[in-house]
Amino acid sequence: MSAEPRVELAAIDRSRLPAHVGIIMDGNGRWAKQRGLPRSAGHTAGEHALFDTVEGALELGLRYLTVYAFSTENWRRPPSEVKFLMNFNRDLLLRRADDLDERRVRVRFIGRRGRPVPRRLVELMEATEARTAHHDRLTLQIAFNYGGRAELVDAARALAEDAVAGRLRPDRITERSLHARLYAPSAPDVDLLVRTSGEQRLSNFLLWEAAYAELVFTETLWPDFDRYALYAAVAEFQRRARRFGRV
């Protein structure tokens, strides 16, 4: 999907919303470079895009939204940028926890929480999850130190541990039993996966959950994404014919 006409909320059929939308928030660095700014400025601008998108999800009535905030591969970035992102995500939770709580948004973090993620950041993540756990208007899942392959490895390890302990027979391992050991097994499968900035790849995001997702790619850089861009993606989703292997 390239640049598209503005789509208004009224154009969306609320009876055919995707149960779960995933977004790969890409293009912060390029947005900043185009403006002669440091990459950190792109990440800061991306915060506004994220929360305008959350507002759009609330207006639509979406139930699940998962955003790719920091991948297991992002540790390879320059140390100065990694340090900025750790501090930025910590400060973002401090700044925005009240807003999300007031809007009755349940916040979850999916991904590995051990080292090298700073312990203080993990504590804030867990505090935000506990504070918003009772909300059911929208579940916002933030994929942080997340990788789709890592998630499947962790699920396979859990299956192996249960098998060794005698809690699960190997011949009883099924898709359902593996799914139950994913990071957020109660979340529905992803119906719509959006990637910004013109890139057209999954980049190790929700590999299991997005097996049958409709993919929408937009040229819009993430800091320029907003609720209307979300509406456009949902409108495109509603134009698709989904067959799931049937004719």
Side-chain angles (χ1 to χ4, degrees):
M1 185 178 78
S2 58
E4 291 198 0
R6 182 184 177 99
V7 173
E8 299 291 342
L9 183 62
I12 304 300
D13 181 351
R14 305 291 190 86
S15 69
R16 296 192 299 115
L17 293 174
H20 187 172
V21 176
I23 303 181
I24 300 174
M25 307 181 292
D26 195 16
N28 290 348
R30 274 167 281 178
W31 184 92
K33 184 178 180 180
Q34 288 176 2
R35 291 158 176 78
L37 300 172
R39 289 177 61 85
S40 58
H43 296 307
T44 301
E47 178 185 341
H48 175 77
L50 172 58
F51 282 90
D52 197 71
T53 300
V54 169
E55 292 285 6
L58 290 168
E59 290 178 353
L60 277 169
L62 294 181
R63 303 309 301 271
Y64 280 83
L65 174 66
T66 301
V67 297
Y68 208 4
F70 191 88
S71 76
T72 49
E73 290 77 27
N74 286 157
W75 295 105
R76 302 170 188 167
R77 293 187 175 187
S80 59
E81 183 175 359
V82 170
K83 182 178 180 181
F84 171 85
L85 288 170
M86 293 300 110
N87 292 333
F88 177 76
N89 280 280
R90 178 199 65 200
D91 295 342
L92 185 149
L93 288 176
L94 292 172
R95 286 192 303 272
R96 297 289 188 165
D98 288 344
D99 293 337
L100 294 167
D101 191 25
E102 288 171 4
R103 288 163 174 75
R104 306 198 318 275
V105 174
R106 177 174 59 168
V107 181
R108 285 179 175 170
F109 290 86
I110 58 172
R112 292 175 171 173
R113 302 191 183 190
R115 296 179 63 185
V117 180
R119 184 60 201 165
R120 174 56 178 155
L121 179 54
V122 173
E123 290 170 355
L124 282 171
M125 292 160 58
E126 292 173 346
T128 302
E129 288 179 323
R131 178 178 178 180
T132 63
H134 60 290
H135 295 320
D136 60 4
R137 187 180 176 198
L138 169 71
T139 296
L140 173 63
Q141 296 191 144
I142 301 174
F144 188 86
N145 194 28
Y146 174 88
R149 289 180 175 180
E151 180 177 27
L152 293 175
V153 166
D154 290 346
R157 285 174 176 165
L159 284 172
E161 290 170 1
D162 287 343
V164 169
R167 294 187 292 266
L168 178 68
R169 285 170 39 187
D171 62 344
R172 294 295 179 90
I173 294 174
T174 62
E175 288 187 14
R176 183 175 180 179
S177 60
L178 190 147
H179 181 272
R181 290 160 177 82
L182 298 177
Y183 294 147
S186 63
D189 283 347
V190 175
D191 286 324
L192 168 63
L193 193 150
V194 182
R195 181 168 189 152
T196 61
S197 86
E199 303 294 346
Q200 298 187 18
R201 55 182 177 272
L202 296 180
S203 293
N204 201 19
F205 183 52
L206 301 177
L207 299 180
W208 179 280
E209 298 88 341
Y212 280 96
E214 297 297 321
L215 308 180
V216 172
F217 302 108
T218 173
E219 298 291 333
T220 303
L221 300 175
W222 176 248
D224 293 325
F225 199 88
D226 60 12
R227 69 188 72 189
Y228 299 103
L230 175 64
Y231 302 159
V234 172
E236 172 61 24
F237 168 83
Q238 293 185 343
R239 287 190 287 268
R240 305 276 180 92
R242 308 186 76 205
R243 298 183 179 87
F244 300 98
R246 299 185 295 269
V247 296

